[in-house]
């Protein structure tokens, strides 16, 4: 009997390891019994066999190792760790050099992907590839996982896909769905293949199934094809192309096309779109959109493209949700490029190509802007009478505020050249030059900045058309000159308050407020522009009609900053230190204007008495901690003795338990000389997210027009959270549609649903 509690044998010292191991760390063996048979070219070990190299190891009751071929056979309670993967089986055989082999009645756990697959026969066919027969694949722990795929045969590639033949989707071991073949993603890197489809239903569009296919072209380019079926509309085909050739260049382009089974020949057929007076006789429907950031010749010359063209005025309102919908595109554009697109009910779509560069003291921006007007699509209005302006091109040269040498003065200017083209209406070129000179005066107590500017505008008209009678259509060259004055004065005062708390920080993690800083910033801004008759000039946009102004604006900003001291442990010195944290937790701005021109007005006094004071704005931001957040804007009229506008948003949070938010937007109906608001508006937004019992979450959103007593939106989402999957049940009701969605997210194996 060979009695040895733990025998450690270095295979290299016995001479049974070939020269292939001489260049790397050798495998080491621990076992209760080891026998080396040099003539047979093998080493046998039994009893608590432990073969290891670095962090990798193989463990079994019995092991047979062949040094010449680097193969090892293991039997009995086999456990293996290779890098981040864990394997166990009754029997196994592996090539230690190439890390390939097989397992019998075993299980493989891919820790990085958090995926288990177990079966009668499992093979590791390469560094990142596996094959298996009669196996179960899941992301869940336990003998009876909440969900799994039972498959007769399969292949799996790390950072790729699992290909399953005859898979049965199981819930608690019971089969509920079957498919002859299935591909599911098991990846953190990009790889081509079918993505999980989106499934939803709405009362307007019917059943919707959107199946995407993702294709990697190379490291810099990829595209996705969307085959999108609507039971009430037909098939929509989509293509999305993405490219990122370098760190400062990227583009995203998307095109969807639908041969609609239905057409709208009367505006009143659809109550949702009543009021726009437009019809949709077309069945060929599309949306082409995209954005691009890059450069021309060198990174200093930045290039941007915004593309947004749609077939009809109803397309974006109908196809709002889902993988091919307006909401997803808008969110993606904002996330990737930081630039928005028009709302889905906007009847104009803006397309821009721009080239810009900034130097030390000035910047140049050249662009072409094309605006699509959907009122003139599909022959709703006569395209030959389309007055929509196109800016072809527009050049902007801005001179930044720069000191004038040898003087205390500063110079700045905004200059623009635009050629305005339109199908119907006056066309021509406008040059607008607006230089300004300022004299900053700063002391310890006051900052005073007087400023004077001159605005010179030149017009070169190619064609007069559709102008009112009071417009000068006899002279193709016209000009306008007008000066403006401005004065800004501000100061800042602050005071520190030591809270002098008696509490002592004794344990790491304890904190307290120790100091407050109250800053007050009063400010005056005065602007003067003389009155000038401009009615005879061409009119393209608001630049062509500079209104007279004689107005003083005064504001007062209160800012409260707190200092919080927190006791934290310092591992290097094995002691505790005080961490000081500063937060602007309260900001209150009061602002109002006085209009001297309105105070002198002599016209229409019987209908509209003078009201030179604007509404008082109270703008409040409050965030003392993570439990409370409040933003509020209130406009109060001293003439009407009431609030004319509200914008409130309040969030209350009990971390990891419940959050509640409340929003109110209000606008009063107003009829004054300077402003008119024909309709009263009062919109209520409510919502809450509650983790009410373990593993369950409820989210409720509600929006209502209180003035019209009309519900705008309600949404309920129930989410079940599990270690290896989440299940969302979603119901959304808007004035457009009722939508139902079921989303099942099989963690690390994609999702099923909307």
């Amino acid at each position: 009997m060979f009695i040895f509690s733990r025998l450690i044998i270095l295979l290299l010292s016995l001479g049974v390891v070939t020269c292939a191991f001489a260049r790397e760390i050798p495998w080491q063996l621990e076992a209760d019994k080891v026998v080396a048979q040099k003539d047979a070219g093998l080493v046998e070990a039994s009893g608590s066999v432990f073969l290891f190299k670095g962090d990798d190891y193989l463990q079994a009751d019995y092991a047979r190792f062949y040094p010449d071929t680097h193969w090892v056979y293991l039997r009995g309670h086999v456990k293996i760790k290779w890098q981040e993967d864990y394997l166990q089986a009754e029997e196994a055989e592996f090539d230690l050099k190439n890390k390939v082999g097989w397992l019998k009645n075993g299980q493989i756990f891919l820790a990085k992907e958090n995926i288990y697959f177990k079966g009668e026969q499992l093979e590791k066919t390469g560094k990142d590839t596996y094959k298996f027969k009669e196996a179960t694949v899941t992301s869940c722990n336990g003998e009876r996982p909440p969900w799994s795929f039972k498959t007769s045969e399969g292949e799996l590639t790390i950072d790729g896909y699992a290909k399953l033949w005859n898979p049965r989707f199981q819930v608690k071991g019971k089969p509920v769905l079957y498919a002859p073949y299935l591909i599911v993603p098991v990846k953190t890197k990009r790889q081509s293949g079918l993505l999980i489809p989106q499934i939803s239903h709405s009362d307007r569009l019917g059943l919707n199934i959107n199946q995407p296919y993702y294709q990697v072209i190379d490291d810099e380019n990829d595209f996705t094809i969307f085959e999108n079926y609507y039971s009430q509309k037909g098939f929509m085909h989509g293509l999305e192309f993405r490219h990122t050739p370098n760190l400062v260049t990227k583009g995203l382009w998307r095109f969807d096309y639908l041969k609609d089974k239905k057409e709208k020949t009367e505006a009143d057929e659809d109550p949702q779109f009543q009021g726009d007076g437009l019809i949709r006789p077309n069945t060929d429907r599309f949306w082409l959109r995209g954005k691009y950031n890059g450069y021309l010749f060198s990174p200093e010359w930045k290039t941007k493209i915004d593309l947004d063209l749609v077939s009809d005025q109803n397309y974006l309102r109908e196809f709002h949700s889902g993988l091919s919908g307006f909401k997803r595109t808008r969110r993606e554009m904002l996330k990737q490029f930081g630039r928005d697109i028009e709302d889905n009910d906007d009847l104009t779509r803006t397309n821009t190509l721009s080239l810009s560069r900034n130097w030390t003291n000035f910047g140049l921006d050249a662009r072409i802007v094309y605006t699509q007007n959907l009122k003139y699509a599909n022959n709703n209005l006569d395209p030959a009478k389309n007055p929509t302006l196109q800016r072809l091109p527009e050049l902007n040269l801005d001179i930044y505020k720069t000191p004038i040498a040898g003087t205390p003065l500063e110079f700045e200017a905004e200059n623009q050249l635009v050629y305005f083209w339109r199908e119907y209406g006056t066309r021509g070129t406008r040059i607008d030059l607006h230089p300004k000179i300022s004299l900053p005066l700063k002391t310890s107590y006051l900052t005073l900045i007087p400023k004077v500017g001159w605005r010179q505008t030149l017009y070169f008209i190619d064609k007069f058309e559709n102008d009112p009678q009071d417009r000068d259509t006899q002279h193709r060259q016209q000009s306008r000159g007008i000066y403006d004055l401005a004065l800004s004065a501000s100061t800042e005062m602050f005071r520190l308050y030591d809270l002098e708390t008696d509490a002592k920080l004794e344990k790491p993690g304890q904190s307290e407020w120790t100091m407050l800083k109250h800053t007050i910033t009063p400010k005056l801004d005065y602007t003067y522009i003389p009155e000038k008759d401009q009615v005879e000039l061409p009119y393209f946009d608001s630049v062509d009609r500079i209104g007279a102004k004689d107005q003083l604006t005064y504001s007062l900003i209160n800012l409260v900053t707190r200092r919080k001291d927190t006791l934290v442990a310092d591992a290097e010195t094995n002691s505790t230190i005080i961490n000081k944290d500063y937060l602007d937790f309260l900001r209150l701005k009061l602002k109002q204007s006085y209009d001297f021109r309105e105070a002198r007005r002599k016209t229409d006094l019987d209908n509209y008495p003078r009201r030179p004071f604007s509404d008082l704005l109270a703008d409040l931001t409050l965030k003392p901690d993570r439990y409370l957040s409040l933003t509020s804007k209130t406009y109060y009229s001293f003439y009407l003795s009431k609030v004319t506008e509200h914008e409130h948003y309040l969030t209350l949070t009990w971390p990891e338990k419940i959050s509640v938010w409340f929003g109110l937007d209000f606008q009063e109906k107003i009829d004054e000389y300077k402003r008119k608001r024909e309709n009263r508006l009062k919109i209520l937004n409510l919502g809450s997210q509650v983790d009410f019992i373990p593993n369950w979450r409820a989210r409720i959103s509600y929006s209502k027009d209180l003035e019209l007593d009309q519900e705008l939106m309600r949404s309920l989402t129930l989410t079940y959270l599990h270690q290896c999957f989440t299940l969302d049940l979603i119901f959304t009701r808007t004035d457009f549609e009722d939508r139902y969605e079921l989303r099942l997210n099989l963690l690390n194996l994609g999702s099923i649903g909307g």
Side-chain angles (χ1 to χ4, degrees), residues 27 51-53 55-58 70-72 74 79-87 92-103 109-111 124 126-127 130 158:
W27 285 90
L51 186 64
F52 63 95
K53 183 175 72 169
D55 293 332
D56 296 341
Y57 64 80
L58 296 88
H70 312 303
W71 275 88
V72 60
L74 306 168
K79 294 183 179 180
I80 301 171
K81 176 186 178 294
W82 269 340
Q83 296 178 344
E84 297 181 3
D85 299 342
Y86 295 84
L87 299 76
E93 190 171 357
F94 282 96
D95 180 344
L96 293 179
K97 182 178 181 181
N98 299 311
K99 296 184 179 180
V100 297
W102 57 264
L103 294 87
F109 173 59
L110 308 179
K124 189 173 183 0
K127 179 181 178 182
Y130 296 87
I158 296 176

Side-chain angles (χ1 to χ4, degrees), residues 315-546:
Y315 182 100
L316 302 181
R317 292 186 278 191
E318 289 188 73
F319 303 103
H320 180 73
S321 303
L323 293 174
S324 301
F326 171 83
K327 186 165 59 175
R328 179 181 180 271
T329 290
R330 185 178 215 176
R331 185 171 59 245
E332 192 70 13
M333 297 299 185
L334 282 169
K335 177 182 177 182
Q336 297 295 331
F337 300 91
R339 302 197 298 276
D340 201 358
I341 58 179
E342 277 86 4
D343 289 334
N344 62 331
D345 58 354
D346 200 318
L347 295 179
T348 59
R349 317 302 301 175
T350 302
N351 301 264
T352 305
L353 167 63
S354 69
L355 177 67
S356 63
R357 179 172 178 176
N358 287 313
W359 288 268
T360 303
N361 297 321
F362 63 95
L364 175 66
D365 179 82
R367 57 181 55 203
I368 295 173
V369 182
Y370 172 77
T371 302
Q372 181 190 25
N373 192 332
L374 297 174
K375 292 181 180 180
Y376 294 86
N378 305 312
N379 292 316
N380 275 283
L381 298 177
D382 185 0
K385 298 294 184 179
N386 187 352
T388 307
L389 280 171
Q390 316 299 343
R391 306 167 85 91
L392 309 172
E394 173 186 323
L395 300 177
N396 296 279
L397 178 64
D398 295 330
I399 301 175
Y400 309 135
K401 190 174 292 186
T402 305
I404 299 177
T407 72
L409 301 174
E410 293 182 338
F411 176 80
E412 60 185 304
E414 298 173 351
N415 308 295
Q416 184 185 77
L417 181 150
V418 188
Y419 178 75
F420 294 100
W421 183 93
R422 49 188 159 192
E423 187 68 36
Y424 181 65
T426 297
R427 308 173 189 172
T429 300
R430 183 186 69 202
I431 300 176
D432 187 56
L433 310 175
H434 194 187
K436 303 174 186 178
I437 295 178
S438 58
L439 177 62
L441 302 172
K442 297 182 180 180
T443 70
S444 302
Y445 305 100
L446 180 67
T447 298
L448 186 67
I449 305 177
K451 184 182 297 184
V452 59
W454 177 265
R455 190 158 205 162
Q456 185 67 50
T457 309
L458 307 174
Y459 297 91
F460 303 90
I461 304 303
D462 293 342
K463 173 186 176 183
F464 288 106
E465 186 177 48
N466 193 34
D467 287 309
Q469 292 183 353
D470 54 3
R471 200 71 45 84
D472 180 2
T473 58
Q474 302 302 315
H475 301 89
R476 293 187 178 273
Q477 297 184 16
Q478 301 179 37
S479 65
R480 176 195 64 188
I482 188 170
Y483 70 89
D484 55 82
L485 304 174
L487 178 67
S488 176
S490 64
T491 187
E492 182 177 285
M493 300 169 284
F494 70 89
R495 184 174 180 180
L496 298 176
Y497 298 89
D498 192 340
L499 299 183
E500 297 181 354
T501 176
D502 295 331
K504 294 184 179 180
L505 303 178
E506 298 177 347
K507 297 180 180 180
Q510 289 184 332
S511 62
E512 62 179 353
W513 289 23
T514 57
M515 187 170 291
L516 292 178
K517 178 183 179 182
H518 181 202
T519 305
I520 299 178
T521 306
K523 186 177 182 182
L524 294 174
D525 289 293
Y526 174 74
T527 303
Y528 177 79
I529 301 174
E531 185 172 1
K532 189 175 184 67
D533 186 6
Q534 304 163 70
V535 68
E536 293 184 349
L537 295 174
Y539 183 80
F540 298 112
D541 59 25
S542 59
V543 172
D544 301 310
R545 297 294 181 267
I546 303 298

Side-chain angles (χ1 to χ4, degrees), residues 692-716:
F692 55 101
I693 58 176
N695 301 327
W696 281 94
R697 173 180 297 160
R699 183 182 178 91
I700 302 171
S701 298
Y702 180 79
S703 178
K704 184 176 182 178
D705 187 329
L706 298 178
E707 190 65 25
L708 299 178
D709 193 24
Q710 178 180 341
E711 188 176 283
L712 301 178
M713 184 275 294
R714 69 168 64 180
S715 175
L716 172 64

Side-chain angles (χ1 to χ4, degrees), residues 248-261:
V248 296
T249 303
K250 62 180 177 180
L252 188 155
W253 314 94
R254 180 74 184 266
F255 179 73
D256 289 296
Y257 171 79
L258 169 69
K259 187 73 172 181
D260 203 325
K261 294 191 296 186

